[in-house]
Amino acid sequence: MVKLGSVLGLLLLAATIIYVEWKNSEENKVRWITGGITAISAVIGILLLFDPSLPGPGAVVKLLFGGVDKALK
């Protein structure tokens, strides 16, 4: 029951952010970028609610760009 409330709260917060940014932004491209980043963040937040042992953003960046770092040294 607590997770359901957290999910609904997170979705409500994300929807509010998207709505406010959509109304205040002049450019369509900025609207879509802001909405996309907010939606992705909401999905990540929901995933972390159900499985808190998932790796954080630092581990993902290290996985994606770790080879590049070694190649530049």
Side-chain angles (χ1 to χ4, degrees):
M1 187 67 169
V2 173
K3 286 188 181 182
L4 178 63
S6 296
V7 169
L8 290 176
L10 207 145
L11 289 175
L12 180 66
L13 181 64
T16 303
I17 291 170
I18 290 172
Y19 176 76
V20 170
E21 288 295 327
W22 198 274
K23 287 295 212 178
N24 292 333
S25 180
E26 296 288 328
E27 294 184 38
N28 199 24
K29 187 176 182 181
V30 174
R31 290 176 175 177
W32 284 105
I33 290 171
T34 303
I37 291 172
T38 305
I40 290 169
S41 300
V43 169
I44 291 171
I46 292 170
L47 287 173
L48 286 172
L49 278 174
F50 290 103
D51 189 7
S53 64
L54 288 173
V60 174
V61 170
K62 186 176 180 181
L63 176 69
L64 292 175
F65 299 110
V68 174
D69 185 40
K70 290 177 184 175
L72 291 175
K73 286 185 179 179

